[in-house]
């Protein structure tokens, strides 16, 4: 089961996850549906984010559901684009074109949630 | 895709659901290639009807289906439907069905920027294409509203989804939770305009009934009332009232009532097959016994009889009937008789559905409902009449001879049956108690018997140790009916009178005999007298002749002495 982080524990949880998973500990998958402007925006945003905040410790896969529709069910995708943070736990789904960097960083536990 | 083709068709093409009542109600099924909204409150059977639509589509109509569940996991679904007799996993393995559980977990989802539901479209599209689905169920898509906050996007996407489903040419059911003021909580009816079916689950007088109503069906006529339906181990049953027409074929075959006396009152062979018989009477007038005779006769012919008992248990009826010499136990063991004993506590419609199901399962040729009076406690007179009308129509269509008993309460007129059902019946037997001479006796009237000459006479109805017997009743000197011991008394009296008459007539014939003897004696005397006279007369005649001969002889002698002529030879011979 996923452990729900308490507001103050974010950093601790993050660091714990970091030690547990070792190298390449961020596993991200971006699910897109074809070459739409939203898709492109999302890809750019994710790449930028990874390079700026997760350099050297992330794994990113970009999945085009138009090419691999069977993966939508397996990954429980509803909306597009969706960025799934599989590791570190907890699992998070970020839906949208990721044009709000702050929200994305918070959702990925890279920035403390504002209180 | 098919849309334009369909418009050129005079009648809207329909996808049969396989749920019999629903197909009759909708005139053939749901609108083909279009989405249908199925809405209702929690627990009223939305998921079940939707799944039934897919399962029957896959198994009966060769149309594979996709079930997209937003609330239940696929394993849970499969488990739920196994208890209803459908093994979903088998259908999935045969590629006739695709199950997809869409998990919408609010805590996992963060919205960051603009999005659409293309993921869901692709997912659904993939499932449809993979098995060539013609049917789709989305149960319940409103769950998306609880997972996603941007309702503007959601609404736009739902509108697109329904249009997309139409373009795909799939017949879809979209379920929706009943809202406070609108049909569905999130106003899905706004998007699905072709067909809206509403389910309801109401409790009235402590009895809960599930009902179905077609709110809207664009381009098709449909039943508009609320129709009850039942969920049990066989799935869904729905009973539309209007689907039954008066089209049944009337049989001229006759079935024995089990009582030779009663058959004789109807001109010999008994009831027409497929007719409905009402036996009404006061308490203890022998309605159940009459029914038991009918059942026993059916069993003896090897026909199956289904007995709905609403007052007594099966064992109580068989015990009681043994006391009048009817062995129903044997018929039960032979499989010719089945009892369905139940207190009428659930709703009227539930009973109707139960009776339907039982009849369809057992396939009887004869049905006994004992008594229908108990239904009146479950609804208004109009409802009961409507229910019985449907029941009778159903039996007639199945060519089932049905016997209904009805209890008439003491205070009411005997011919005033409950719920005014007598006009629906083909044969009406009235059992009545007659009180006279400090005893109550049962009599039977054949008030009506459609399509056959029948006796207009009252019969006395006797419950004996070897069954029911019908006896002619006597009219007393004042024209009153005589039954029971009064009848027995009259019978004895008549017997005595006839003895007297017999004695009188034998006395007369003896007198006649004597007279005849006297007359004959007189005749003999006269004849004797005559004999005497005759003898005397004959003697006189003989003497006269002798004298004449002597005279002639004397003359011949005198002639000879006178030496007259030679004597005539004749005279000589005569003398010799």
């Amino acid at each position: 089961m996923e452990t729900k982080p308490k507001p103050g524990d974010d950093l601790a949880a993050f660091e714990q996850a970091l030690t547990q998973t070792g190298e390449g500990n961020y596993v991200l998958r971006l699910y897109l549906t074809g070459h739409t402007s939203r898709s492109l925006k999302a890809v750019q945003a994710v790449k930028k984010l990874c390079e700026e905040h997760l350099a050297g410790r992330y794994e990113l896969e970009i999945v085009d559901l138009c090419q691999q529709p069977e993966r939508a069910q397996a990954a429980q995708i509803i909306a597009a684009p969706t960025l799934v943070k599989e590791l570190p736990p907890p699992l998070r789904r970020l839906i949208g074109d990721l044009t709000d960097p702050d929200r994305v960083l918070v959702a990925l536990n890279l920035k403390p949630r504002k209180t | 895709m098919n849309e334009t083709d369909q418009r050129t068709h005079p009648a809207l093409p329909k996808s049969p659901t396989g749920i019999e009542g629903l197909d009759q109600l909708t005139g053939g099924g749901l609108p083909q290639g279009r989405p249908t909204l199925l809405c209702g409150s929690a627990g009223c059977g939305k998921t079940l009807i939707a799944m039934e639509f897919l399962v029957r589509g896959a198994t009966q109509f060769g149309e594979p289906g996709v079930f997209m569940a937003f609330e239940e996991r696929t394993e849970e679904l499969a488990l739920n439907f196994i208890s209803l007799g459908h093994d979903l996993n088998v259908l999935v393995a045969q590629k006739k069905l695709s199950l997809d559980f869409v998990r919408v977990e609010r805590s996992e989802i963060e919205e960051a920027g603009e999005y659409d539901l293309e993921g869901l479209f692709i997912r659904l599209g993939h499932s449809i294409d993979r098995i060539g689905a013609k049917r789709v169920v989305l149960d319940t898509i409103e769950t998306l509203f609880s997972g996603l906050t941007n309702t503007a996007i959601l609404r736009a996407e739902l509108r697109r989804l329904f249009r997309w489903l139409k373009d795909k040419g799939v017949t879809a059911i979209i379920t929706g939770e009943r809202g406070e003021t609108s049909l569905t909580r999130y106003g899905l009816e706004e998007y699905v305009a072709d067909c809206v079916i509403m389910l309801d689950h109401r409790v009235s007088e402590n009895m809960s009934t599930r009902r179905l109503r077609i709110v809207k069906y664009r381009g098709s006529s449909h039943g508009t009332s609320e129709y009850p339906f039942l969920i049990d181990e066989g799935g869904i049953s729905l009973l539309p009232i209007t689907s039954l027409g008066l089209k049944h074929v009337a049989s001229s075959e006759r079935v024995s009532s089990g009582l030779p006396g009663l058959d004789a009152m109807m001109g010999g062979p008994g009831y027409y097959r497929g007719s409905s018989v009402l036996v009404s009477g006061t308490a203890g007038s022998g309605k159940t016994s009459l029914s038991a005779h009918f059942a026993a006769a059916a069993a003896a012919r090897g026909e199956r009889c289904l007995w709905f008992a609403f007052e007594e248990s099966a064992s109580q009826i068989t015990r009681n009937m043994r006391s009048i010499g009817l062995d129903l136990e044997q018929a039960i063991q032979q499989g010719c008789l089945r009892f369905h004993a139940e207190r009428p506590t659930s709703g009227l419609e539930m009973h109707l559905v139960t009776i339907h199901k039982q009849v369809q399962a057992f396939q009887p040729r004869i049905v006994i409902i004992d008594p229908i009076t108990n239904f009146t406690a479950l609804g208004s007179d109009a409802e009961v009449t409507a229910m019985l009308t449907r029941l009778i129509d159903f039996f007639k269509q199945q060519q089932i001879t049905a016997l209904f008993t009805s209890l008439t309460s003491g205070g009411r007129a005997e011919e005033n049956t409950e719920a005014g059902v007598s006009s629906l019946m083909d044969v009406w037997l009235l059992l009545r108690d007659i009180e006279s001479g400090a005893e109550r006796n049962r009599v039977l009237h054949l008030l009506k018997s459609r399509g056959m000459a029948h006796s207009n006479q009252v019969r006395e109805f006797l419950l004996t140790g070897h069954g029911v017997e019908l006896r002619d009743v006597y009219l007393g000197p004042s024209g009153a009916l005589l039954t029971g011991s009064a009848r027995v008394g009259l019978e004895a009296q008549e017997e005595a009178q006839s003895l007297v008459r017999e004695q009188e007539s034998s006395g007369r014939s003896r007198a006649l005999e004597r007279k005849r003897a006297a007359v004959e004696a007189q005749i003999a005397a006269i004849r004797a007298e005559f004999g005497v006279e005759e003898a005397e007369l004959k003697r006189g005649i003989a003497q006269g002749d002798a004298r004449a001969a002597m005279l002639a002889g004397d003359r011949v002698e005198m002639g000879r002495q006178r030496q007259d002529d030679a004597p005539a030879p004749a005279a000589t011979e005569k003398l010799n």
Side-chain angles (χ1 to χ4, degrees):
Chain A
M1 254 324 269
E2 300 156 13
T3 50
K4 276 201 173 171
K6 288 170 202 159
D9 289 352
D10 281 7
L11 198 63
F14 168 62
E15 274 168 355
Q16 194 192 0
L18 202 69
T19 53
Q20 277 172 351
T21 49
E23 284 302 307
N25 46 46
Y26 260 84
V27 178
L28 303 175
R29 282 184 226 286
L30 181 63
Y31 295 88
L32 307 167
T33 51
H35 300 285
T36 63
S37 65
R38 259 185 223 135
S39 297
L40 290 175
K41 275 189 204 165
V43 169
Q44 284 167 0
V46 168
K47 283 194 169 159
K48 184 164 178 277
L49 177 139
C50 288
E51 278 157 21
E52 285 178 7
H53 298 272
L54 299 167
R57 53 185 181 103
Y58 73 92
E59 196 182 294
L60 174 67
E61 187 190 8
I62 295 174
V63 181
D64 186 352
L65 293 176
C66 293
Q67 307 293 322
Q68 296 173 283
E70 68 283 355
R71 294 189 63 173
Q73 185 173 345
Q76 286 288 356
I77 303 302
I78 307 162
T82 298
L83 178 67
V84 179
K85 182 195 72 159
E86 293 184 6
L87 284 173
L91 187 123
R92 281 282 178 274
R93 296 164 196 281
L94 280 86
I95 59 175
D97 55 13
L98 313 173
T99 44
D100 184 346
D102 271 5
R103 279 188 82 110
V104 177
L105 289 175
V106 169
L108 293 178
N109 276 348
L110 291 171
K111 195 176 172 182
R113 201 173 284 266
K114 281 171 204 147
T115 46
Chain B
M1 189 175 75
N2 296 332
E3 185 101 329
T4 44
D5 297 345
Q6 282 169 14
R7 283 204 187 116
T8 60
H9 283 75
L12 193 73
K14 289 176 183 177
S15 271
T17 60
I19 303 167
E20 198 182 330
L22 187 57
D23 285 347
Q24 288 170 339
L25 206 59
T26 51
L30 304 180
Q32 199 178 71
R34 298 179 183 200
T36 293
L37 178 66
L38 188 63
C39 55
S41 51
C44 62
K46 300 185 293 290
T47 305
L48 184 70
I49 288 188
M51 184 60 94
E52 191 102 3
F53 172 68
L54 290 192
V55 169
R56 290 184 186 269
T59 55
Q60 294 177 9
F61 308 106
E63 295 193 349
V66 174
F67 194 98
M68 201 170 233
F70 291 82
E71 287 178 330
E72 283 177 286
R73 299 181 155 277
T74 52
E75 305 83 52
E76 290 167 349
L77 270 176
L79 204 61
N80 294 350
F81 281 86
I82 278 214
S83 62
L84 292 165
H86 302 307
D87 193 342
L88 301 184
N89 291 327
V90 169
L91 290 173
V92 169
Q94 291 171 340
K95 293 202 167 187
K96 288 177 174 172
L97 186 68
S98 167
L99 300 176
D100 184 6
F101 168 60
V102 179
R103 199 160 61 110
V104 184
E105 187 68 59
R106 184 67 181 257
S107 63
E108 281 179 8
I109 296 172
E110 289 282 347
E111 287 170 54
E114 285 194 1
Y115 58 92
D116 55 36
L117 292 184
E118 195 60 31
L120 192 71
F121 282 59
I122 287 181
R123 196 165 160 179
L124 185 56
H126 178 63
S127 293
I128 292 172
D129 296 341
R130 197 167 52 85
I131 59 168
K134 297 273 180 285
R135 299 176 178 211
V136 167
V137 169
L138 304 176
D139 178 52
T140 305
I141 200 156
E142 287 174 321
T143 312
L144 290 176
F145 283 93
S146 66
L148 306 173
T149 48
N150 195 335
T151 51
I153 290 181
L154 214 50
R155 288 187 179 281
E157 287 296 287
L158 285 182
R159 197 179 290 276
R160 192 161 71 92
L161 177 67
F162 295 137
R163 204 165 45 234
W164 177 80
L165 284 171
K166 273 191 181 185
D167 291 344
K168 274 259 172 200
V170 291
T171 310
I173 291 184
I174 288 105
T175 65
E177 197 75 19
R178 180 96 185 258
E180 294 281 319
T181 51
S182 55
L183 287 177
T184 58
R185 198 171 291 165
Y186 296 97
L188 288 182
E189 63 271 22
E190 221 177 285
Y191 313 116
V192 187
D194 289 299
C195 180
V196 178
I197 296 175
M198 194 158 77
L199 304 179
D200 189 18
H201 194 194
R202 271 205 305 268
V203 177
S204 75
E205 291 181 13
N206 299 328
M207 286 177 263
S208 106
T209 315
R210 290 188 168 95
R211 289 160 202 269
L212 179 148
R213 182 162 70 95
I214 298 177
V215 179
K216 169 176 178 178
Y217 198 144
R218 187 175 281 174
S220 170
S221 63
H222 59 86
T224 50
S225 318
E226 282 193 314
Y227 303 97
F229 69 96
L230 181 74
I231 298 173
D232 64 11
E233 56 283 350
I236 286 205
S237 311
L238 190 77
L239 284 176
I241 315 169
T242 49
S243 72
L244 298 169
L246 284 172
K247 288 177 191 154
H248 44 262
V249 184
S251 168
S252 53
E253 194 192 334
R254 307 272 284 257
V255 278
S256 169
S257 66
L259 289 175
L262 182 55
D263 290 347
M265 287 175 80
M266 291 180 287
Y271 312 121
Y272 281 119
R273 187 174 293 289
S275 62
S276 40
V277 181
L278 175 69
V279 179
S280 65
T282 49
S285 56
K287 300 181 293 296
T288 304
S289 306
L290 198 69
S291 313
H293 266 280
F294 191 37
R301 288 192 303 270
E303 288 178 6
R304 268 184 284 196
C305 173
L306 185 56
W307 185 318
F308 293 92
F310 295 118
E311 276 181 343
E312 295 174 276
S313 73
S315 73
Q316 197 182 336
I317 292 177
T318 49
R319 183 203 65 194
N320 294 352
M321 291 308 118
R322 214 175 296 133
S323 76
I324 59 162
L326 277 175
D327 187 10
L328 297 178
E329 199 67 51
Q330 205 187 342
I332 294 174
Q333 275 163 13
Q334 283 170 355
C336 286
L337 177 62
R338 184 187 284 181
F339 279 98
H340 182 85
E342 186 183 26
R343 284 268 173 217
T345 46
S346 49
L348 264 187
E349 309 297 352
M350 230 42 166
H351 275 290
L352 193 55
V353 176
T354 310
I355 291 172
H356 263 246
K357 294 224 113 183
Q358 292 282 335
V359 165
Q360 248 138 24
F362 190 55
Q363 294 289 328
R365 303 219 64 188
I366 282 167
V367 168
I368 292 169
I369 297 188
D370 180 33
I372 52 170
T373 321
N374 286 22
F375 291 134
T376 49
L378 305 176
S380 68
D381 274 7
E383 281 172 341
V384 175
T385 311
M387 182 256 189
L388 287 171
T389 310
R390 286 150 68 189
L391 200 55
I392 288 168
D393 284 350
F394 170 66
F395 288 146
K396 282 190 184 286
Q397 278 184 341
Q398 305 277 319
Q399 284 281 297
I400 291 171
T401 316
L403 189 144
F404 304 84
T405 70
S406 168
L407 178 73
T408 42
S409 44
R412 293 172 78 159
E414 274 144 344
E415 295 181 12
N416 183 1
T417 51
E418 312 288 335
V421 290
S422 57
S423 65
L424 300 167
M425 301 290 180
D426 298 316
V427 177
W428 184 7
L429 300 170
L430 175 66
L431 292 170
R432 210 148 59 93
D433 280 330
I434 288 186
E435 201 177 327
S436 65
E439 54 184 54
R440 286 180 86 94
N441 292 298
R442 304 178 177 90
V443 294
L444 181 144
H445 302 245
L446 182 54
L447 287 185
K448 98 175 191 193
S449 183
R450 282 179 181 153
M452 59 177 86
H454 55 273
S455 169
N456 60 354
Q457 298 210 319
V458 176
R459 295 285 192 283
E460 185 170 359
F461 184 86
L462 293 178
L463 291 175
T464 70
H466 43 274
V468 169
E469 277 180 21
L470 293 184
R471 292 273 175 79
D472 289 344
V473 288
Y474 280 74
L475 281 181
S478 57
L481 282 176
L482 291 184
T483 55
S485 53
R487 174 179 55 77
V488 173
L490 191 72
E491 274 176 342
Q493 200 182 326
E494 290 203 342
E495 208 167 304
Q497 281 174 351
S498 80
L499 190 66
V500 169
R501 273 197 299 274
E502 203 176 288
Q503 283 168 348
E504 278 176 359
S505 77
S506 71
R508 267 191 216 109
S509 60
R510 267 199 304 279
L512 184 69
E513 208 53 47
R514 272 199 303 278
K515 188 136 193 173
R516 186 198 306 278
V519 168
E520 276 172 6
Q522 274 180 331
I523 292 170
I526 292 169
R527 188 167 284 156
E529 211 176 352
F530 171 71
V532 172
E533 264 176 57
E534 190 184 31
E536 267 173 32
L537 282 170
K538 280 187 178 161
R539 209 166 36 244
I541 292 167
Q543 283 172 347
D545 283 353
R547 212 173 292 132
M550 262 162 60
L551 285 174
D554 288 347
R555 227 175 287 137
V556 172
E557 196 52 40
M558 279 187 309
R560 203 189 298 149
Q561 285 171 1
R562 280 180 215 142
Q563 306 221 318
D564 206 6
D565 299 327
T572 320
E573 263 169 44
K574 209 175 192 177
L575 288 171
N576 292 338

mmCIF file of all heavy atoms in Angstrom, chain B residues 174-194:
data_model
loop_
_atom_site.group_PDB
_atom_site.id
_atom_site.type_symbol
_atom_site.label_atom_id
_atom_site.label_comp_id
_atom_site.label_asym_id
_atom_site.label_seq_id
_atom_site.Cartn_x
_atom_site.Cartn_y
_atom_site.Cartn_z
ATOM 1 N N ILE B 174 -25.337 4.031 -21.123
ATOM 2 C CA ILE B 174 -24.589 4.854 -20.179
ATOM 3 C C ILE B 174 -25.426 4.930 -18.921
ATOM 4 O O ILE B 174 -26.596 5.298 -18.964
ATOM 5 C CB ILE B 174 -24.338 6.265 -20.756
ATOM 6 C CG1 ILE B 174 -23.304 6.185 -21.874
ATOM 7 C CG2 ILE B 174 -23.820 7.211 -19.680
ATOM 8 C CD1 ILE B 174 -23.877 6.315 -23.222
ATOM 9 N N THR B 175 -24.873 4.514 -17.821
ATOM 10 C CA THR B 175 -25.658 4.553 -16.601
ATOM 11 C C THR B 175 -25.378 5.840 -15.855
ATOM 12 O O THR B 175 -24.322 6.448 -16.015
ATOM 13 C CB THR B 175 -25.343 3.355 -15.684
ATOM 14 O OG1 THR B 175 -23.996 3.464 -15.261
ATOM 15 C CG2 THR B 175 -25.550 2.047 -16.397
ATOM 16 N N GLY B 176 -26.341 6.253 -15.086
ATOM 17 C CA GLY B 176 -26.186 7.487 -14.337
ATOM 18 C C GLY B 176 -26.945 7.431 -13.034
ATOM 19 O O GLY B 176 -28.026 6.848 -12.950
ATOM 20 N N GLU B 177 -26.353 8.017 -12.045
ATOM 21 C CA GLU B 177 -26.966 8.051 -10.717
ATOM 22 C C GLU B 177 -28.080 9.087 -10.709
ATOM 23 O O GLU B 177 -27.927 10.173 -11.268
ATOM 24 C CB GLU B 177 -25.861 8.410 -9.720
ATOM 25 C CG GLU B 177 -26.128 8.123 -8.287
ATOM 26 C CD GLU B 177 -26.025 6.639 -7.951
ATOM 27 O OE1 GLU B 177 -25.411 5.863 -8.711
ATOM 28 O OE2 GLU B 177 -26.564 6.292 -6.920
ATOM 29 N N ARG B 178 -29.174 8.746 -10.074
ATOM 30 C CA ARG B 178 -30.322 9.647 -10.014
ATOM 31 C C ARG B 178 -29.969 10.918 -9.245
ATOM 32 O O ARG B 178 -29.368 10.858 -8.176
ATOM 33 C CB ARG B 178 -31.455 8.926 -9.292
ATOM 34 C CG ARG B 178 -32.713 9.703 -9.146
ATOM 35 C CD ARG B 178 -33.649 9.337 -10.255
ATOM 36 N NE ARG B 178 -34.828 10.166 -10.217
ATOM 37 C CZ ARG B 178 -35.987 9.744 -9.740
ATOM 38 N NH1 ARG B 178 -36.093 8.541 -9.272
ATOM 39 N NH2 ARG B 178 -37.035 10.535 -9.765
ATOM 40 N N GLY B 179 -30.328 12.061 -9.785
ATOM 41 C CA GLY B 179 -30.029 13.320 -9.121
ATOM 42 C C GLY B 179 -31.213 13.816 -8.310
ATOM 43 O O GLY B 179 -32.302 13.250 -8.348
ATOM 44 N N GLU B 180 -30.982 14.888 -7.562
ATOM 45 C CA GLU B 180 -32.042 15.440 -6.711
ATOM 46 C C GLU B 180 -33.168 16.023 -7.548
ATOM 47 O O GLU B 180 -34.341 15.739 -7.321
ATOM 48 C CB GLU B 180 -31.464 16.545 -5.814
ATOM 49 C CG GLU B 180 -30.465 16.059 -4.786
ATOM 50 C CD GLU B 180 -31.139 15.418 -3.582
ATOM 51 O OE1 GLU B 180 -32.163 15.956 -3.132
ATOM 52 O OE2 GLU B 180 -30.646 14.377 -3.121
ATOM 53 N N THR B 181 -32.774 16.832 -8.497
ATOM 54 C CA THR B 181 -33.798 17.516 -9.281
ATOM 55 C C THR B 181 -33.840 17.026 -10.726
ATOM 56 O O THR B 181 -34.871 17.083 -11.367
ATOM 57 C CB THR B 181 -33.541 19.033 -9.294
ATOM 58 O OG1 THR B 181 -32.170 19.237 -9.670
ATOM 59 C CG2 THR B 181 -33.776 19.645 -7.932
ATOM 60 N N SER B 182 -32.709 16.538 -11.207
ATOM 61 C CA SER B 182 -32.684 16.091 -12.590
ATOM 62 C C SER B 182 -32.615 14.567 -12.623
ATOM 63 O O SER B 182 -32.500 13.918 -11.603
ATOM 64 C CB SER B 182 -31.472 16.685 -13.307
ATOM 65 O OG SER B 182 -30.294 16.353 -12.592
ATOM 66 N N LEU B 183 -32.689 14.021 -13.807
ATOM 67 C CA LEU B 183 -32.663 12.570 -13.949
ATOM 68 C C LEU B 183 -31.350 11.997 -13.457
ATOM 69 O O LEU B 183 -31.309 10.947 -12.848
ATOM 70 C CB LEU B 183 -32.871 12.190 -15.414
ATOM 71 C CG LEU B 183 -34.285 12.361 -15.972
ATOM 72 C CD1 LEU B 183 -34.305 12.002 -17.441
ATOM 73 C CD2 LEU B 183 -35.273 11.499 -15.214
ATOM 74 N N THR B 184 -30.277 12.686 -13.763
ATOM 75 C CA THR B 184 -28.978 12.216 -13.302
ATOM 76 C C THR B 184 -28.284 13.350 -12.560
ATOM 77 O O THR B 184 -28.584 14.525 -12.771
ATOM 78 C CB THR B 184 -28.071 11.784 -14.461
ATOM 79 O OG1 THR B 184 -27.920 12.893 -15.340
ATOM 80 C CG2 THR B 184 -28.662 10.618 -15.213
ATOM 81 N N ARG B 185 -27.371 12.974 -11.694
ATOM 82 C CA ARG B 185 -26.736 13.956 -10.825
ATOM 83 C C ARG B 185 -25.978 15.029 -11.618
ATOM 84 O O ARG B 185 -25.934 16.171 -11.234
ATOM 85 C CB ARG B 185 -25.782 13.224 -9.880
ATOM 86 C CG ARG B 185 -25.386 14.030 -8.684
ATOM 87 C CD ARG B 185 -24.639 13.176 -7.700
ATOM 88 N NE ARG B 185 -25.502 12.187 -7.063
ATOM 89 C CZ ARG B 185 -25.040 11.142 -6.379
ATOM 90 N NH1 ARG B 185 -23.757 10.950 -6.273
ATOM 91 N NH2 ARG B 185 -25.864 10.301 -5.816
ATOM 92 N N TYR B 186 -25.381 14.625 -12.729
ATOM 93 C CA TYR B 186 -24.579 15.588 -13.496
ATOM 94 C C TYR B 186 -25.221 15.929 -14.836
ATOM 95 O O TYR B 186 -24.557 16.382 -15.753
ATOM 96 C CB TYR B 186 -23.156 15.063 -13.684
ATOM 97 C CG TYR B 186 -22.432 14.917 -12.371
ATOM 98 C CD1 TYR B 186 -22.372 13.699 -11.718
ATOM 99 C CD2 TYR B 186 -21.846 16.023 -11.759
ATOM 100 C CE1 TYR B 186 -21.745 13.574 -10.494
ATOM 101 C CE2 TYR B 186 -21.213 15.919 -10.535
ATOM 102 C CZ TYR B 186 -21.159 14.681 -9.901
ATOM 103 O OH TYR B 186 -20.539 14.572 -8.688
ATOM 104 N N GLY B 187 -26.489 15.665 -14.942
ATOM 105 C CA GLY B 187 -27.203 16.095 -16.145
ATOM 106 C C GLY B 187 -26.775 15.391 -17.408
ATOM 107 O O GLY B 187 -26.705 15.993 -18.482
ATOM 108 N N LEU B 188 -26.496 14.087 -17.309
ATOM 109 C CA LEU B 188 -26.072 13.348 -18.508
ATOM 110 C C LEU B 188 -27.164 13.312 -19.559
ATOM 111 O O LEU B 188 -26.888 13.178 -20.745
ATOM 112 C CB LEU B 188 -25.690 11.908 -18.134
ATOM 113 C CG LEU B 188 -24.403 11.693 -17.364
ATOM 114 C CD1 LEU B 188 -24.181 10.225 -17.124
ATOM 115 C CD2 LEU B 188 -23.225 12.284 -18.131
ATOM 116 N N GLU B 189 -28.435 13.427 -19.098
ATOM 117 C CA GLU B 189 -29.543 13.352 -20.050
ATOM 118 C C GLU B 189 -29.448 14.439 -21.116
ATOM 119 O O GLU B 189 -30.031 14.330 -22.179
ATOM 120 C CB GLU B 189 -30.886 13.413 -19.317
ATOM 121 C CG GLU B 189 -31.166 14.699 -18.567
ATOM 122 C CD GLU B 189 -30.639 14.654 -17.133
ATOM 123 O OE1 GLU B 189 -29.737 13.838 -16.865
ATOM 124 O OE2 GLU B 189 -31.123 15.428 -16.311
ATOM 125 N N GLU B 190 -28.662 15.468 -20.776
ATOM 126 C CA GLU B 190 -28.445 16.550 -21.725
ATOM 127 C C GLU B 190 -27.735 16.048 -22.986
ATOM 128 O O GLU B 190 -27.970 16.521 -24.078
ATOM 129 C CB GLU B 190 -27.543 17.566 -21.040
ATOM 130 C CG GLU B 190 -27.889 18.993 -21.260
ATOM 131 C CD GLU B 190 -26.925 19.837 -20.454
ATOM 132 O OE1 GLU B 190 -27.098 19.892 -19.205
ATOM 133 O OE2 GLU B 190 -26.008 20.388 -21.064
ATOM 134 N N TYR B 191 -26.859 15.067 -22.785
ATOM 135 C CA TYR B 191 -26.043 14.591 -23.908
ATOM 136 C C TYR B 191 -26.660 13.395 -24.616
ATOM 137 O O TYR B 191 -26.437 13.181 -25.782
ATOM 138 C CB TYR B 191 -24.638 14.207 -23.415
ATOM 139 C CG TYR B 191 -24.029 15.239 -22.518
ATOM 140 C CD1 TYR B 191 -23.743 14.958 -21.190
ATOM 141 C CD2 TYR B 191 -23.743 16.517 -23.011
ATOM 142 C CE1 TYR B 191 -23.200 15.905 -20.365
ATOM 143 C CE2 TYR B 191 -23.204 17.467 -22.184
ATOM 144 C CZ TYR B 191 -22.924 17.172 -20.863
ATOM 145 O OH TYR B 191 -22.399 18.114 -20.051
ATOM 146 N N VAL B 192 -27.354 12.589 -23.839
ATOM 147 C CA VAL B 192 -27.913 11.377 -24.416
ATOM 148 C C VAL B 192 -29.384 11.631 -24.672
ATOM 149 O O VAL B 192 -30.198 11.559 -23.778
ATOM 150 C CB VAL B 192 -27.762 10.178 -23.456
ATOM 151 C CG1 VAL B 192 -28.182 8.906 -24.134
ATOM 152 C CG2 VAL B 192 -26.332 10.085 -22.988
ATOM 153 N N ALA B 193 -29.704 11.937 -25.896
ATOM 154 C CA ALA B 193 -31.055 12.395 -26.152
ATOM 155 C C ALA B 193 -31.928 11.346 -26.809
ATOM 156 O O ALA B 193 -33.102 11.559 -27.006
ATOM 157 C CB ALA B 193 -31.008 13.644 -27.021
ATOM 158 N N ASP B 194 -31.369 10.194 -27.139
ATOM 159 C CA ASP B 194 -32.137 9.250 -27.937
ATOM 160 C C ASP B 194 -33.086 8.402 -27.117
ATOM 161 O O ASP B 194 -34.222 8.182 -27.492
ATOM 162 C CB ASP B 194 -31.182 8.352 -28.719
ATOM 163 C CG ASP B 194 -30.501 9.129 -29.814
ATOM 164 O OD1 ASP B 194 -31.214 9.631 -30.694
ATOM 165 O OD2 ASP B 194 -29.277 9.260 -29.762
#
